[in-house]
Amino acid sequence: MNEMVIRLKGVTRSFNGPKGKIIALNDVSLSLSSGELLAVNGPSGCGKTTLLVTAAGMLKPDQGDVVFVEKDHPYNLPPDRRSRLRAGVIGFVFQQFHLIPYLTVRENIIIPSLSAPGKELDQRAQELIQQFGLHERADHVPSQLSTGERQRTALARALFNRPRIIMADEPTGNLDDENAHIVLKHLGHYVSMGGSVLLVTHSAGAADYATRILKMKDGHLLSS
Amino acid sequence: MKIQQLVLKEIIHRKLNFSLSVFATLIATASLIGSIVLLRVYDIRTESILQQKEAELQARMDKLQDDMRKAMLVLGFNIVILPKDQDLADWYSDDYSVKDMPESYVDRLANSDILSIRHLLPSLQQKILWPERRRSVILVGTRGEVPRLHQTPRKSLVQPVPYGSITLGYELHRSMDIRVNDTVKLMGKTFTVNECYEERGNKDDITAWINLKEAQELLGKEGRINAILALECLCTGSSSLPTIRKEIAAILPGTQVIERGSRALARAEARTKVAQEAATTLEKEKRGRETIRHEKERMASILIPAVLLACALWVAFMGFINVRSRREEIGILRTVGISARHIFMLFTWKHLSIGILGGFWGLALGTILPFLFSGPDYALRVGAVGPLTFWLGLGALSLIGASFLSVVAGWIPAMIASRQDPAEVLRDE
């Protein structure tokens, strides 16, 4: 039986906007198990990114609870412990890549180890560089990379700490079809190895790789 | 990857921000160190100037002392021989002796073998009322210089007043409109004015000099005198006066000897005064430099904190800009699990680097500039300004002080960076 890695129970999150209160998440509940790639589709502004960061323990919900691996409640932990928990459990991939511009590919991949450097970590970075076909670009900075290479670097960084789950926010949004396919293939491979992916996207192509698809509208999570 | 490596890479990436922060720290440190070194150089220069002036003064004093010794030797000094029973308090107040002694005393002295006594001038002085003119005068009877029997004849210092002649002081001839060759009556006796003196500004201006014999007759003191002036006595220093006194006492037991207004004494007094003035000038110089130092210190105590504050604000401002431009980077670091404490450390390490680098260059600049401004005398004399411990202290002050300033200035930006909400950052980005 696959292990449940993340669970959201009745999560509600709202913001104060210029035109009043905006409910980004409205009583959302979901769970994600290992070996599962859950794709959440929906139009812009429906609350997909809020769902992602709330599920990742970065945005405390107004109501409801988030549980990691059936035992850890990130929002009950002090900030530093929550950061450590997040670093151990979750990897992130974003549409905008968010690579550090003055670091090389190798350094960007290894950056999660900043708080605990070690030699074996260099070995891990090298494995990821090989796995994502970045060995020729390992010493290049992001401005010298193609968009596909940047996203592969971001994906390698997300996998560096061997997380239980990858939170991916429109990872193919800035990529051409070929590179989008490569990224999704890597995510699929990760899931086949027992990992979990929460993929937030409005791309229809991503559905081909998903084990489950949910739709989101006005802060509500709907079944596919 | 270590935090320090990330800091270094970010510094290289954002050189301008880092350089401007280092520059501000450099200015702050250079101002502080420069002020300290300048004040120190000023102190040393003051010390040097005062030492030099003191040495010059001492040399001058030594020369004056030597000159005085020589002058005393060559010029001699003047003594007055008075009757032994004359009260000196009265003599000093009246300026003449009311007691008298035999005129033969001067001859006995002239015929003695004392070598230290040179020119001898016996006189009979008395303050009288000039009856014909109804005014007080000092009447002095003098016979001129008495030649020494045992010494080579010398040119007389003072010429005698001829018999029947009178010499008048300035105030007497001026007030009574008397001129040379006029005849005047004094106590019923007629005298021809042989000389009218220029103004001297002392009792000589109301003195009338006549021949000693005539003075003795007019005052009813035949064969008596009340003072013997011995001019330009030879001596080898001020300590010779007791010796002369002893020698004179052996010949003229009924007398006493006092020193009076000699040229050597006057010159010595003048030189002492010059020395005192030089010492006063030196003291004034010292006080003047102390005043300037206090002013410099006061100025520094106002300017330095202002410069430090301005530089700290600038470093803080640069810190805010740095945090703003690294917002995305902070967000991603927080997302991949880097703790707020590590983010804070990241910025604090950077500010520490700014402080160390700014402190080092500030120390160099703050040391070099005062030497350049202090002129060539001090340019190559770092060792003269202070011992090794002084420079080590300055070095420690620069590095620790600049680091402290930079870290404190960067504290709030670092706090802001560490408190960035990664979700908010990533959502905005």
Side-chain angles (χ1 to χ4, degrees):
Chain A
M1 185 181 167
N2 288 344
E3 185 186 16
M4 199 278 293
V5 290
I6 195 162
R7 183 195 299 274
L8 276 73
K9 289 190 285 189
V11 170
T12 299
R13 186 67 165 93
S14 59
F15 301 99
N16 289 319
K19 291 178 183 174
K21 198 172 184 181
I22 300 163
I23 300 173
L25 295 178
N26 195 344
D27 194 23
V28 171
S29 295
L30 69 82
S31 60
L32 187 65
S33 303
S34 57
E36 193 175 14
L37 195 159
L38 172 61
V40 179
N41 283 333
S44 292
C46 69
K48 299 192 297 292
T49 300
T50 305
L51 171 69
L52 198 79
V53 292
T54 305
M58 293 197 295
L59 186 66
K60 192 173 182 180
D62 299 332
Q63 289 174 20
D65 194 15
V66 177
V67 185
F68 289 172
V69 204
E70 289 287 16
K71 57 179 181 180
D72 295 314
H73 297 259
Y75 295 112
N76 293 342
L77 298 173
D80 270 13
R81 278 194 61 197
R82 197 192 316 158
S83 292
R84 280 202 298 275
L85 175 66
R86 193 164 59 230
V89 175
I90 304 170
F92 289 89
V93 184
F94 302 95
Q95 182 179 1
Q96 300 297 336
F97 322 128
H98 293 311
L99 297 175
I100 296 174
Y102 51 85
L103 297 182
T104 62
V105 166
R106 185 188 307 279
E107 290 161 345
N108 265 292
I109 291 171
I110 212 168
I111 199 72
S113 72
L114 188 67
S115 47
K119 275 198 169 179
E120 67 283 5
L121 301 175
D122 292 339
Q123 181 62 35
R124 169 69 178 152
Q126 190 56 36
E127 282 170 22
L128 290 166
I129 287 168
Q130 292 294 336
Q131 183 184 337
F132 285 91
L134 294 164
H135 47 277
E136 287 181 1
R137 298 292 197 173
D139 296 319
H140 288 68
V141 292
S143 61
Q144 297 169 316
L145 304 176
S146 67
T147 51
E149 287 167 337
R150 287 181 203 180
Q151 193 58 296
R152 275 186 276 152
T153 304
L155 192 53
R157 179 181 65 192
L159 292 169
F160 183 80
N161 281 340
R162 294 188 174 86
R164 303 291 302 273
I165 181 168
I166 295 282
M167 301 277 188
D169 187 4
E170 301 282 8
T172 57
N174 280 339
L175 302 179
D176 56 32
D177 288 346
E178 187 185 345
N179 279 305
H181 172 70
I182 292 169
V183 167
L184 290 169
K185 200 173 80 178
H186 278 297
L187 287 175
H189 179 256
Y190 168 70
V191 169
S192 68
M193 300 297 287
S196 304
V197 175
L198 177 57
L199 175 64
V200 164
T201 180
H202 59 257
S203 161
D208 297 342
Y209 297 87
T211 55
R212 184 156 56 115
I213 299 171
L214 294 175
K215 285 197 174 176
M216 208 167 173
K217 189 179 179 187
D218 298 332
H220 292 279
L221 201 57
L222 310 169
S223 296
S224 176
Chain B
M1 173 170 263
K2 291 180 181 174
I3 283 183
Q4 292 85 342
Q5 287 173 294
L6 188 64
V7 169
L8 183 64
K9 286 195 165 271
E10 196 275 331
I11 286 170
I12 294 167
H13 181 65
R14 295 189 177 91
K15 296 180 197 74
L16 183 63
N17 183 289
F18 181 75
S19 303
L20 289 173
S21 298
V22 169
F23 183 71
T25 320
L26 179 155
I27 294 295
T29 312
S31 305
L32 180 66
I33 298 300
S35 300
I36 293 171
V37 174
L38 266 178
L39 284 174
R40 183 78 184 129
V41 167
Y42 185 83
D43 286 347
I44 287 168
R45 177 171 278 176
T46 298
E47 209 172 303
S48 168
I49 288 171
L50 292 179
Q51 271 177 1
Q52 192 183 339
K53 291 208 169 181
E54 271 172 18
E56 283 171 7
L57 178 65
Q58 190 56 49
R60 200 171 169 187
M61 288 292 290
D62 290 346
K63 190 171 183 309
L64 287 176
Q65 194 71 28
D66 192 49
D67 284 351
M68 194 169 78
R69 191 180 60 76
K70 287 174 185 169
M72 293 288 274
L73 187 65
V74 176
L75 294 173
F77 59 98
N78 302 334
I79 59 170
V80 181
I81 302 165
L82 298 171
K84 191 165 193 172
D85 53 353
Q86 172 62 43
D87 185 335
L88 285 181
D90 291 343
W91 186 78
Y92 282 123
S93 63
D94 297 340
D95 212 24
Y96 71 93
S97 171
V98 293
K99 303 292 182 182
D100 52 41
M101 57 190 168
E103 187 182 348
S104 59
Y105 274 20
V106 70
D107 298 316
R108 200 191 298 173
L109 201 58
N111 296 334
S112 71
D113 55 359
I114 299 176
L115 295 174
S116 52
I117 298 291
R118 298 211 290 183
H119 308 282
L120 291 170
L121 294 167
S123 66
L124 178 64
Q125 296 184 31
Q126 190 171 322
K127 188 184 274 184
I128 61 162
L129 182 69
W130 189 344
E132 289 84 357
R133 301 282 178 168
R134 294 181 180 281
R135 62 177 299 163
S136 291
V137 296
I138 296 169
L139 182 65
V140 178
T142 176
R143 63 183 251 199
E145 189 173 331
V146 179
R148 298 291 317 278
L149 186 65
H150 297 287
Q151 287 184 359
T152 311
R154 294 169 185 277
K155 186 185 174 185
S156 294
L157 283 176
V158 180
Q159 296 303 313
V161 181
Y163 199 85
S165 297
I166 189 168
T167 299
L168 296 174
Y170 176 76
E171 185 55 27
L172 293 180
H173 70 74
R174 188 199 62 81
S175 62
M176 294 183 284
D177 195 24
I178 299 169
R179 296 166 200 281
V180 174
N181 294 327
D182 285 357
T183 55
V184 293
K185 272 203 165 185
L186 173 64
M187 299 175 80
K189 192 172 172 65
T190 305
F191 292 91
T192 303
V193 178
N194 72 328
E195 198 170 354
C196 292
Y197 284 154
E198 293 292 316
E199 189 174 8
R200 290 179 176 174
N202 57 26
K203 74 178 180 72
D204 286 357
D205 289 349
I206 56 160
T207 300
W209 289 267
I210 60 173
N211 187 276
L212 178 62
K213 208 75 177 167
E214 289 177 305
Q216 287 169 337
E217 287 168 8
L218 288 176
L219 298 172
K221 293 186 176 180
E222 284 84 355
R224 308 293 290 180
I225 56 173
N226 55 10
I228 301 168
L229 190 58
L231 301 175
E232 297 184 359
C233 299
L234 290 173
C235 59
T236 54
S238 56
S239 62
S240 60
L241 185 61
T243 311
I244 292 176
R245 278 182 174 146
K246 199 179 284 180
E247 287 176 347
I248 291 174
I251 298 160
L252 304 174
T255 61
Q256 57 183 325
V257 176
I258 57 169
E259 187 184 5
R260 186 179 197 199
S262 67
R263 278 189 285 166
L265 193 63
R267 197 172 287 187
E269 282 171 359
R271 284 170 180 154
T272 305
K273 197 171 178 185
V274 169
Q276 281 171 347
E277 278 175 8
T280 308
T281 308
L282 185 66
E283 189 60 30
K284 274 184 186 169
E285 173 87 27
K286 199 173 176 180
R287 284 188 191 156
R289 291 192 71 86
E290 272 174 9
T291 306
I292 292 170
R293 193 196 192 281
H294 285 312
E295 281 170 8
K296 281 173 182 257
E297 210 170 27
R298 195 167 151 268
M299 183 78 88
S301 69
I302 295 167
L303 276 179
I304 299 302
V307 170
L308 292 182
L309 181 66
C311 292
L313 288 175
W314 178 255
V315 171
F317 177 64
M318 286 289 117
F320 284 121
I321 289 177
N322 191 240
V323 170
R324 184 70 193 86
S325 61
R326 295 173 72 182
R327 198 159 175 265
E328 182 189 347
E329 180 188 328
I330 295 162
I332 198 66
L333 287 173
R334 297 284 283 123
T335 306
V336 299
I338 306 304
S339 67
R341 189 171 59 86
H342 277 91
I343 298 292
F344 182 82
M345 289 296 291
L346 193 66
F347 282 85
T348 304
W349 268 109
K350 182 176 178 179
H351 280 100
L352 191 63
S353 310
I354 289 168
I356 290 170
L357 210 60
F360 176 77
W361 287 111
L363 173 67
L365 196 69
T367 305
I368 291 166
L369 284 184
F371 279 98
L372 290 180
F373 288 128
S374 299
D377 290 354
Y378 295 89
L380 299 172
R381 294 176 58 204
V382 174
V385 173
L388 183 63
T389 48
F390 172 77
W391 292 108
L392 287 176
L394 274 192
L397 177 68
S398 302
L399 295 177
I400 295 170
S403 302
F404 180 76
L405 179 133
S406 181
V407 168
V408 167
W411 194 272
I412 295 175
M415 287 294 286
I416 289 172
S418 67
R419 288 179 182 183
Q420 295 253 7
D421 182 347
E424 197 176 312
V425 172
L426 295 174
R427 202 171 52 241
D428 292 348
E429 296 291 337

